[in-house]
Amino acid sequence: MISRDVAEKFMEADYPESKWEKVHFIGFNALNRCELAIMKKLQDEDRACFYWDYDNSYIREGKLNSAGMFISGNLKIFRNDMPSDWKYDTLLTVNDPKVTRNVIETTSEIAQVKMVPYLIDRIPGLSKEDAHHTAVILADENLIVPMLSSLPENTGDINITMGYPLKMTGVYTLIRHLLNLQRTLAPLSGSIFFESGEALEILRHELIVNISGDGERAVIDEITQKSLFRIPAEFLCRTELLKSIFRKTNTPKELSEYLKELLAKVSSGNPDDNDDSPDGAMHRKLQKEFIYSVFKSVSRLEAIAFSPEVAFRPETYTRILDKILRNQSVPFTGEPLSGIQIMGFLETRALDFRNIILLSVNEGILPTASQGSSFIPYSIREAFGLPVINHQESLYAYHFFRLLHRAENVTFIYNSDSTGMRTGEMSRFLTQMKYENIIKPSFLNLTFDIRTPPEIAPIVQKNETHLKRLLSMYGDDSGKALLSPTAINTWLACRMRFYYRYVSGLKEPDVLSEEIDHAVFGQILHRIMRTVYIDCMNRPITGKFIEDLEKDESYLLDITDKSINESYGPDLLRPLSGNDIIVRDILYNYLRRILDADRALAPFTIIELERQFRFIIPCRSGGDTIMVRTGGSIDRVDRLAGKTRIVDYKTGETAERISSLGDLFTDDRKKDLDGWLQTLLYCEAFLSQNQNAIVRPSIYRVKELSAGEFSDMLRIREERNSEITVEDYLIVRKEFMEGLKGVVTSIFNPEEPFRMTVSIGKCGYCPYRGLCLR
């Protein structure tokens, strides 16, 4: 755009002809009055040639086809210096048997680029020598990344005239995380604390992992295991790399030097990386090119940020740098006359191709829906000949239809997905082609046959590998694992879940949650009770002692807080949320309920807390007798009224009574029986090491505890009007052990398969439901 004062100076100047060579203008469109005057002066002085490439169809139709809006006016003002034999009835309108026009409808952006290799293979007569006559044009330039990843290895040479968006590279994401790390750090208690989310994103970033060692990996594991949320710099800065990352910058200059130092470390790479393959070398080359682009942008911004005339705050510097990097592209180098051309739509101006594949031919993309910012109303802009959105549409229309003048094979692809902000409509230019008097395209619909996912087999047969793994864990003398009650309950609830968890060894990944996770709620309660009674072991605990303990609320609250902090870190390292306060109050309430129940039963003496007991179960497997280790950690063992109680605290649902012991060993049973199987197994484990003891199973159903109506005993209702209260484990020991041996035998029986539960409701919170396609 030339301003009026510049045009006036040009018109008044008298340039010697010797300093001018003839200027050639090819197919320009919109001109303002100043530019028009300059072009006219050059034409009158015979210093310019004008070349107009058009098709008679949109010149004759005038306003019916906006592609000729500016060309028609320019032809009246300027001469046309095209050769006399130049044809203005092009392949846009002339019927020719070799001309094909296809419009393909897809239902996703990625489906478009995945079709390109197939369409290239179907181009007739395509060879390496004339591949440069073929163009893949991206109306939406954001498809460049999936486009490059979709090209097959045998494509041959390609020439990419577009830039690779820097915002889609790993270098940019690393810079973003580093900037966010600086933005979210907090000085507390004389130290610098970093948010664990950004810290883990950086430490797990591919560029940092590539130059990391055992020290960095140990920090990641420790953050996850300890559930740290605010991490002090002293904890993180164990290696030179970590010291470079986790430090505070106070000024834009320090922030700039911080980024450049880390970019230099990343660029140096890992000296132990011995990948000499062509792909590895190309990956490193591209990575260094991206790093260099970021480094150059940071250095250029320094000239402004560090000048004494401008005072930048770090926040302002961060926003400006991020905006620069997001809008930056890394250019590719290539040979324009070699290979298939991959380019943006506007880069095709004044170029002709024999074969064209044009992607994202959607309304809103072609033509683009953007409009220049202006406070001048549309009607006034239109009246005074200022640029309006109609002019922009005309420019795109001309470039679109001119591209088809000499193209023989053209395929248009558009996305019909209308989710989000998309309209799912094909471009108005395709609609024009459908109804105007030009070569009409064929319309194809690339639909997907959407079906429910195929069901996987609900049964997995046991094989020798499965049995060897089970025996090595639970039956081999060298093994240390115990077949825990949790594993047995898992087998009874869903054998497929047992297969994934214990046979295949698929564990749920450690996830860092900023709030107290309900999955560890019970663990915290167990820790609280252990802390309360740890100093009272092997001495009588009276009702008066518990009553005095309950009066000291500050002591009990302090124990609750310390137990939470042991699991999740102190409040200084973890922001306290509303959910945390609620969970803390619930834990304190549960503690008071258990103490009330204990006060009603006192006096009693605690013998053990959180101690592991084990025993051996002999069973048959494939004709052989094997010894299976089982057992677990008992929450509490106490002596009450001459009997030894095996106490387990349960915060979940636990059955108040059972119909029979056989119900505990029924396949695909409900979860509320898990607690009693676990407690009875603990009774057997304790009795195997204390054979003269009178053992009683006891479960504190914490949700239902109250001092007035409290029963911790196992009740078996075999008939409607009769009920057995198990006050001595020996009463049910024989029947329980027969059932337990039967279950353990089925686990190691090669004829017993792993199968999915028939109760789909159990799959709702199962971490393996995706593997079962449920």
Side-chain angles (χ1 to χ4, degrees):
M1 184 72 72
I2 299 178
S3 63
R4 182 174 180 177
D5 57 340
V6 173
E8 288 176 351
K9 291 179 181 179
F10 181 86
M11 298 294 290
E12 294 171 357
D14 185 16
Y15 296 101
E17 290 190 12
S18 60
K19 292 188 177 181
W20 278 91
E21 295 182 2
K22 188 167 285 189
V23 182
H24 298 261
F25 294 96
I26 303 175
F28 53 87
N29 278 282
L31 297 172
N32 62 26
R33 295 178 181 178
C34 301
E35 293 168 333
L36 190 65
I38 292 176
M39 302 301 175
K40 189 65 177 167
K41 177 179 173 65
L42 292 173
Q43 178 181 252
D44 294 342
E45 296 177 358
D46 197 28
R47 297 183 181 180
C49 293
F50 297 87
Y51 302 92
W52 307 105
D53 184 17
Y54 59 88
D55 187 271
N56 285 325
S57 63
Y58 52 78
I59 294 297
R60 286 193 302 264
E61 294 175 2
K63 293 183 179 180
L64 294 178
N65 191 325
S66 60
M69 177 179 177
F70 293 107
I71 293 290
S72 300
N74 291 338
L75 284 172
K76 297 176 182 178
I77 301 173
F78 303 102
R79 64 176 182 264
N80 191 352
D81 294 311
M82 280 292 192
S84 58
D85 60 346
W86 191 264
K87 295 181 180 179
Y88 296 102
D89 291 319
T90 67
L91 296 181
L92 181 64
T93 54
V94 175
N95 283 314
D96 191 310
K98 62 183 179 182
V99 174
T100 60
R101 304 280 190 266
N102 294 310
V103 177
I104 300 177
E105 173 189 345
T106 65
T107 55
S108 72
E109 299 289 353
I110 299 301
Q112 299 184 77
V113 297
K114 294 301 180 183
M115 283 198 66
V116 171
Y118 170 77
L119 295 173
I120 290 176
D121 290 339
R122 289 175 62 90
I123 294 175
L126 182 63
S127 64
K128 183 177 180 181
E129 290 71 23
D130 64 353
H132 61 281
H133 292 301
T134 299
V136 178
I137 303 169
L138 308 181
D140 181 3
E141 297 189 3
N142 289 322
L143 293 181
I144 180 62
V145 175
M147 179 74 256
L148 295 179
S149 63
S150 299
L151 292 174
E153 295 182 0
N154 59 354
T155 302
D157 293 338
I158 59 173
N159 178 48
I160 305 171
T161 63
M162 308 162 59
Y164 193 97
L166 190 62
K167 65 182 179 182
M168 296 185 180
T169 66
V171 179
Y172 171 75
T173 58
L174 176 61
I175 294 296
R176 279 294 304 271
H177 289 309
L178 291 172
L179 294 176
N180 287 337
L181 183 77
Q182 293 295 321
R183 180 178 57 83
T184 57
L185 61 79
L188 294 170
S189 303
S191 183
I192 303 298
F193 288 82
F194 296 92
E195 295 288 343
S196 61
E198 290 299 336
L200 288 175
E201 289 287 351
I202 292 172
L203 293 174
R204 290 170 175 168
H205 195 280
E206 58 173 343
L207 298 177
I208 298 299
V209 169
N210 187 46
I211 58 174
S212 296
D214 295 336
E216 288 77 16
R217 287 187 284 272
V219 168
I220 295 175
D221 295 339
E222 198 166 343
I223 291 173
T224 306
Q225 292 168 3
K226 293 185 176 181
S227 301
L228 302 178
F229 295 96
R230 288 197 185 112
I231 312 171
E234 295 80 9
F235 174 88
L236 292 166
C237 297
R238 304 180 185 182
T239 66
E240 291 301 319
L241 176 60
L242 294 176
K243 290 177 183 177
S244 301
I245 297 173
F246 298 104
R247 58 188 176 90
K248 185 177 184 298
T249 60
N250 299 301
T251 64
K253 183 176 182 180
E254 292 181 3
L255 182 55
S256 176
E257 293 173 351
Y258 167 77
L259 294 176
K260 292 200 294 186
E261 178 185 343
L262 288 174
L263 287 173
K265 287 181 179 292
V266 170
S267 179
S268 62
N270 189 344
D272 297 330
D273 186 3
N274 299 319
D275 185 6
D276 297 327
S277 65
D279 288 344
M282 179 57 68
H283 178 74
R284 288 192 295 272
K285 185 177 180 181
L286 285 173
Q287 180 178 294
K288 290 186 177 182
E289 187 68 30
F290 298 145
I291 293 173
Y292 172 72
S293 296
V294 175
F295 197 96
K296 187 167 57 175
S297 297
V298 173
S299 299
R300 285 177 177 174
L301 187 57
E302 288 179 352
I304 302 174
F306 301 166
S307 62
E309 293 83 5
V310 181
F312 268 80
R313 297 174 61 235
E315 295 80 4
T316 306
Y317 176 88
T318 297
R319 287 196 295 269
I320 293 175
L321 178 60
D322 182 59
K323 188 170 184 178
I324 290 173
L325 297 180
R326 277 191 287 110
N327 295 325
Q328 187 173 336
S329 295
V330 181
F332 290 96
T333 58
E335 173 53 54
L337 298 179
S338 175
I340 295 173
Q341 310 293 303
I342 299 178
M343 52 179 54
F345 179 74
L346 293 179
E347 293 167 333
T348 64
R349 290 172 290 186
L351 297 177
D352 289 320
F353 297 97
R354 186 184 308 151
N355 309 300
I356 295 174
I357 301 172
L358 181 54
L359 279 63
S360 300
V361 193
N362 280 80
E363 188 65 22
I365 298 177
L366 199 62
T368 179
S370 63
Q371 183 176 354
S373 302
S374 176
F375 291 108
I376 304 174
Y378 172 84
S379 57
I380 297 178
R381 293 171 65 88
E382 176 75 18
F384 285 88
L386 296 174
V388 292
I389 194 170
N390 293 347
H391 296 172
Q392 185 181 29
E393 193 267 349
S394 300
L395 292 175
Y396 273 87
Y398 173 75
H399 295 314
F400 178 85
F401 288 109
R402 196 219 60 79
L403 194 59
L404 306 181
H405 286 181
R406 283 159 285 279
E408 298 175 1
N409 304 296
V410 183
T411 301
F412 307 98
I413 310 177
Y414 75 96
N415 177 16
S416 62
D417 180 18
S418 59
T419 57
M421 299 297 290
R422 303 185 184 95
T423 62
E425 299 178 59
M426 64 180 176
S427 170
R428 65 189 71 177
F429 302 148
L430 296 181
T431 306
Q432 284 179 238
M433 294 179 65
K434 184 177 181 180
Y435 295 106
E436 285 189 355
N437 189 25
I438 59 178
I439 297 178
K440 292 178 171 53
S442 301
F443 287 83
L444 306 174
N445 188 353
L446 180 64
T447 58
F448 293 95
D449 187 10
I450 300 176
R451 303 176 181 175
T452 55
E455 294 185 358
I456 66 171
I459 293 177
V460 174
Q461 295 293 338
K462 278 196 190 120
N463 56 36
E464 188 176 349
T465 302
H466 299 150
L467 291 173
K468 284 184 177 179
R469 182 169 179 82
L470 288 171
L471 288 171
S472 66
M473 290 189 297
Y474 307 121
D476 192 87
D477 292 337
S478 60
K480 297 181 180 180
L482 296 176
L483 185 63
S484 65
T486 302
I488 296 172
N489 281 323
T490 301
W491 170 268
L492 293 170
C494 177
R495 295 187 180 187
M496 192 62 75
R497 183 169 182 170
F498 180 91
Y499 168 74
Y500 288 132
R501 173 64 181 86
Y502 297 99
V503 180
S504 299
L506 298 178
K507 296 183 180 180
E508 298 179 60
D510 293 327
V511 178
L512 209 58
S513 173
E514 292 189 4
E515 296 182 342
I516 296 176
D517 190 354
H518 292 285
V520 297
F521 182 89
Q523 298 176 16
I524 298 175
L525 180 63
H526 285 68
R527 182 176 281 123
I528 291 173
M529 296 312 304
R530 184 180 188 279
T531 305
V532 168
Y533 285 132
I534 189 67
D535 295 328
C536 305
M537 290 178 59
N538 298 313
R539 60 187 178 91
I541 297 176
T542 63
K544 180 65 169 59
F545 172 81
I546 297 177
E547 184 178 348
D548 293 339
L549 192 63
E550 289 183 293
K551 290 180 181 179
D552 193 350
E553 293 187 8
S554 60
Y555 172 72
L556 297 179
L557 286 171
D558 185 58
I559 289 177
T560 304
D561 290 335
K562 286 182 178 179
S563 299
I564 294 174
N565 291 340
E566 287 177 9
S567 298
Y568 282 92
D571 292 340
L572 184 66
L573 303 182
R574 178 178 55 85
L576 192 65
S577 67
N579 181 72
D580 289 354
I581 297 173
I582 294 173
V583 171
R584 172 181 178 268
D585 290 345
I586 293 174
L587 286 168
Y588 176 71
N589 181 266
Y590 282 1
L591 167 60
R592 297 296 298 256
R593 289 187 184 186
I594 294 173
L595 291 176
D596 287 343
D598 284 345
R599 178 160 50 84
L601 295 173
F604 57 86
T605 302
I606 294 179
I607 304 172
E608 301 288 353
L609 289 172
E610 302 287 345
R611 182 185 164 189
Q612 188 180 88
F613 290 84
R614 60 174 64 191
F615 65 101
I616 300 296
I617 298 180
C619 65
R620 303 286 293 176
S621 175
D624 298 325
T625 300
I626 59 173
M627 300 296 178
V628 179
R629 297 182 305 278
T630 185
S633 180
I634 302 177
D635 293 345
R636 167 175 145 189
V637 180
D638 63 29
R639 189 172 291 110
L640 173 66
K643 297 179 180 179
T644 302
R645 286 195 312 164
I646 307 300
V647 180
D648 201 4
Y649 308 113
K650 292 297 180 185
T651 57
E653 297 295 330
T654 301
E656 184 178 356
R657 55 179 55 83
I658 62 177
S659 298
S660 67
L661 284 177
D663 290 349
L664 299 180
F665 308 104
T666 303
D667 265 349
D668 229 342
R669 60 167 171 73
K670 294 182 179 180
K671 186 176 178 60
D672 62 352
L673 298 179
D674 289 359
W676 287 117
L677 186 146
Q678 177 179 347
T679 307
L680 290 171
L681 188 147
Y682 287 162
C683 289
E684 179 65 28
F686 181 84
L687 193 61
S688 65
Q689 299 181 25
N690 302 271
Q691 298 180 3
N692 297 323
I694 301 175
V695 179
R696 169 165 85 80
S698 169
I699 290 183
Y700 280 33
R701 297 185 299 278
V702 182
K703 287 183 179 180
E704 304 167 14
L705 282 182
S706 63
E709 301 178 1
F710 165 60
S711 175
D712 63 328
M713 297 184 185
L714 172 61
R715 297 174 180 176
I716 304 175
R717 177 177 290 178
E718 295 181 341
E719 298 178 3
R720 178 175 297 181
N721 298 322
S722 66
E723 184 176 89
I724 300 174
T725 301
V726 180
E727 297 189 8
D728 187 349
Y729 167 68
L730 290 177
I731 299 174
V732 297
R733 183 182 188 184
K734 181 180 179 182
E735 185 178 356
F736 174 76
M737 287 303 297
E738 288 176 355
L740 183 62
K741 287 180 181 179
V743 172
V744 175
T745 300
S746 68
I747 293 175
F748 289 88
N749 187 348
E751 303 300 324
E752 290 283 346
F754 304 104
R755 57 173 174 262
M756 298 181 191
T757 176
V758 297
S759 303
I760 304 297
K762 294 180 181 179
C763 305
Y765 298 97
C766 178
Y768 309 108
R769 64 184 180 276
L771 298 176
C772 298
L773 299 181
R774 287 190 167 185

